[in-house]
Amino acid sequence: MNDLIEGFRLVGQMDVLIAILASSIYGLVVGSLPGLSATMATALLVPVTFYLSPIAAVATIISASAMAIFSGDIPGCLLRIPGTPASAAYTDEAYAMTRKGQAEMALGIGLWFSAIGGIIGTLSLVVMAPLLAEVALNFSSYEYFWLAVLGLMCATLVARSSPVKAIASMLLGLLVSCIGMENPAGAPRFTFGMPDLLGGIEPLPALVGVFALSEVMRALATFEPPPLPKRKFGSILAGQWLLTKIYQWPMWRGNVIGIIIGVLPGAGADMAAWVSYAMSKRFSKTPEKFGTGHPEGLVEAGASNNASLASGWVPALLFGIPGDTITAIAIGVLYMKGLNPGPTLFTERASSMYALYIIFILANIIMIPLGIMMIRLAAHVLRAPRASIMPVILMLCAVGAFATGNNLFAVLLVACFGVVGYIMERNGYPVAALVLGIVMGSMVEQSFVTSLIKSDNSLLPFIERPISGVLAAITAGALLWPVAAWLLRRRAAGRPPQRRPA
């Protein structure tokens, strides 16, 4: 109880409350701009967190990401242009409702069920994280190695592109993580005689480059979206309680799917929205209505994406493994502020964990009034010309990169990764797998080398320990699954058609 009271005191400080409000408004604005993802909005906040207290810094990440995930529904509903990748799964459905004159209902569904999903996801974080922390206290370097490898494999399994391309992106990220002297041997690798590379490649410049700068380059290569027609919105939340009662099972199913997918390293809100929308259509009693402006799919997918956002913090806080690209940024902020992820965080800094839970719930509660205001102001925000937005984003990328390394070399890294991210996206290679490889590469290497030192170069302890053996088996299954699926498809394609009996 003392830790809970201390958590409320930490959140109640003026700088934390101002950070929650300001970052919420910022996340709503950035998320509503077509093409600007929640990850990019979060990455651009990193330089600001340098000057904030630890709780205020984490509050900005939580609030901005939650708001950006929701507000990505606004341009998708009104312009058929998804504001964030998470809203792309049901953009056509929401736009179909707009064509039927139900834009208020579509936007209200996104707002109401995103807030409910965020609160349910937070409750799952409160319940799961402490229980798993007790188990994680028994983890050694063997278990951490398999856990990190499993996270990398999960990132390739849930990728919407080809698994082969996802694995290639992940391996490229692992190669980038090998640069520098930050390895157990202390030997310089791939530095090419450049002193700036001796410290390795920081994940934050890579994140800003592949997610933010590549978006600017993509905007330069595409046409300006059509201007939003002027219209006056009616009541946003009218009828939402009735929809909650009618579609309560799809809502709960979306929450559960979002929580499960959020816990998987590398999945995140994007995959949760796609899977939930597909599941909603699969189990619906009226699947023929999907695509015509049917609210059922919007309810389930909207509840799922924000639920996964909160549960994605479970592996991040417990093991330092990012549940998605947003928590990858959050891990960097946590380390920077002295809140090192790990099971001991729940015992030594319990009040900070309670503060984090309170911030999650508070952010999803204030999402409703701020979201209504944002929907009504959407016409003005979406009419902002791209030519005035993109230079500001480019400047923020440069300033943020310079603040992370205090030198111009970090700015060059952002430029290089921006080009790499743009080329990868153009050719169907997922940049999220690249980022996860960079973030988790050092953990994989250090856990592996430490384990070999402890076992005197024996590989048996990697599979002899009970938890380690289970994680090894799951990792092997995740690695072999794409190969097995490919072989089954080859076998089915090569099978001759059977003759029907006369």
Side-chain angles (χ1 to χ4, degrees):
M1 183 60 67
N2 291 333
D3 291 329
L4 179 60
I5 295 173
E6 179 65 15
F8 274 105
R9 190 192 67 80
L10 290 173
V11 177
Q13 294 180 3
M14 187 57 64
D15 64 326
V16 177
L17 295 176
I18 292 174
I20 292 174
L21 181 61
S23 58
S24 297
I25 297 172
Y26 161 80
L28 285 170
V29 173
V30 175
S32 66
L33 295 173
L36 305 187
S37 65
T39 304
M40 197 208 75
T42 310
L44 292 178
L45 275 178
V46 173
V48 179
T49 61
F50 290 168
Y51 309 101
L52 300 177
S53 64
I55 302 301
V58 178
T60 59
I61 303 295
I62 293 172
S63 304
S65 58
M67 300 296 172
I69 290 291
F70 151 69
S71 63
D73 297 349
I74 298 175
C77 178
L78 301 178
L79 295 175
R80 205 188 177 192
I81 303 172
T84 61
S87 60
Y90 45 88
T91 292
D92 289 339
E93 196 77 63
Y95 188 66
M97 292 187 71
T98 300
R99 292 202 307 268
K100 292 166 61 175
Q102 298 176 340
E104 294 88 350
M105 178 179 288
L107 290 169
I109 289 172
L111 176 60
W112 177 252
F113 289 97
S114 290
I116 292 177
I119 293 173
I120 298 298
T122 304
L123 295 178
S124 73
L125 172 64
V126 174
V127 172
M128 285 192 298
L131 296 177
L132 291 174
E134 295 182 8
V135 178
L137 286 172
N138 298 319
F139 275 34
S140 67
S141 58
Y142 302 102
E143 285 79 14
Y144 275 109
F145 167 75
W146 286 119
L147 200 63
V149 176
L150 178 61
L152 293 172
M153 290 300 103
C154 287
T156 61
L157 279 178
V158 300
R160 290 194 294 271
S161 62
S162 164
V164 176
K165 290 185 176 181
I167 291 174
S169 299
M170 181 263 293
L171 291 176
L172 179 60
L174 290 176
L175 180 63
V176 172
S177 71
C178 292
I179 297 174
M181 292 184 64
E182 294 183 0
N183 56 81
R189 297 181 303 195
F190 306 112
T191 58
F192 305 103
M194 300 174 63
D196 290 309
L197 288 176
L198 290 174
I201 302 293
E202 292 290 333
L204 293 178
L207 280 164
V208 173
V210 298
F211 286 111
L213 188 59
S214 63
E215 290 289 349
V216 176
M217 298 174 65
R218 196 173 297 111
L220 292 174
T222 56
F223 293 104
E224 183 90 15
L228 181 68
K230 292 184 178 181
R231 70 166 290 162
K232 187 176 182 180
F233 292 109
S235 177
I236 304 300
L237 296 182
Q240 296 306 317
W241 183 247
L242 179 62
L243 289 174
T244 305
K245 292 191 290 185
I246 294 174
Y247 298 115
Q248 57 176 317
W249 288 114
M251 180 192 73
W252 285 111
R253 188 169 58 223
N255 287 329
V256 172
I257 292 173
I259 290 168
I260 294 173
I261 291 180
V263 173
L264 293 175
D270 306 354
M271 185 54 56
W274 284 97
V275 172
S276 293
Y277 185 78
M279 290 283 286
S280 181
K281 186 175 181 180
R282 170 66 179 81
F283 292 104
S284 175
K285 295 180 180 178
T286 55
E288 69 278 358
K289 292 184 179 180
F290 279 69
T292 63
H294 188 49
E296 185 175 354
L298 296 181
V299 169
E300 185 160 343
S304 181
N305 55 16
N306 270 55
S308 69
L309 196 66
S311 64
W313 283 69
V314 173
L317 293 173
L318 278 175
F319 310 110
I321 297 175
D324 55 15
T325 49
I326 292 174
T327 49
I329 301 170
I331 288 172
V333 174
L334 288 171
Y335 276 115
M336 183 176 63
K337 293 299 181 180
L339 298 172
N340 296 348
T344 57
L345 189 62
F346 294 83
T347 55
E348 298 175 359
R349 306 292 293 271
S351 59
S352 297
M353 290 299 97
Y354 280 115
L356 188 146
Y357 303 149
I358 296 166
I359 291 167
F360 260 112
I361 295 176
L362 186 59
N364 284 282
I365 290 174
I366 67 172
M367 179 190 294
I368 294 177
L370 291 179
I372 293 174
M373 294 172 56
M374 186 65 216
I375 290 171
R376 299 194 181 282
L377 293 173
H380 304 289
V381 175
L382 294 177
R383 287 198 191 98
R386 182 186 285 176
S388 62
I389 296 172
M390 292 304 167
V392 175
I393 294 174
L394 188 63
M395 182 191 69
L396 291 174
C397 290
V399 172
F402 184 81
T404 57
N406 288 325
N407 58 22
L408 290 176
F409 185 75
V411 181
L412 296 177
L413 282 179
V414 169
C416 292
F417 278 103
V419 174
V420 170
Y422 175 76
I423 295 173
M424 289 178 65
E425 287 282 0
R426 285 290 299 269
N427 292 279
Y429 289 86
V431 295
L434 167 72
V435 171
L436 285 170
I438 296 173
V439 171
M440 299 173 63
S442 59
M443 179 179 178
V444 172
E445 181 181 23
Q446 290 179 5
S447 299
F448 182 69
V449 174
T450 303
S451 300
L452 287 179
I453 293 172
K454 289 194 299 185
S455 65
D456 197 18
N457 291 330
S458 174
L459 296 177
L460 289 179
F462 284 94
I463 56 176
E464 285 181 339
R465 296 167 61 91
I467 300 178
S468 182
V470 172
L471 292 173
I474 297 174
T475 304
L479 180 62
L480 296 176
W481 176 256
V483 179
W486 177 75
L487 290 175
L488 289 174
R489 286 196 301 268
R490 283 285 302 270
R491 184 179 179 183
R495 185 181 301 165
Q498 298 180 354
R499 295 182 179 179
R500 292 184 178 180

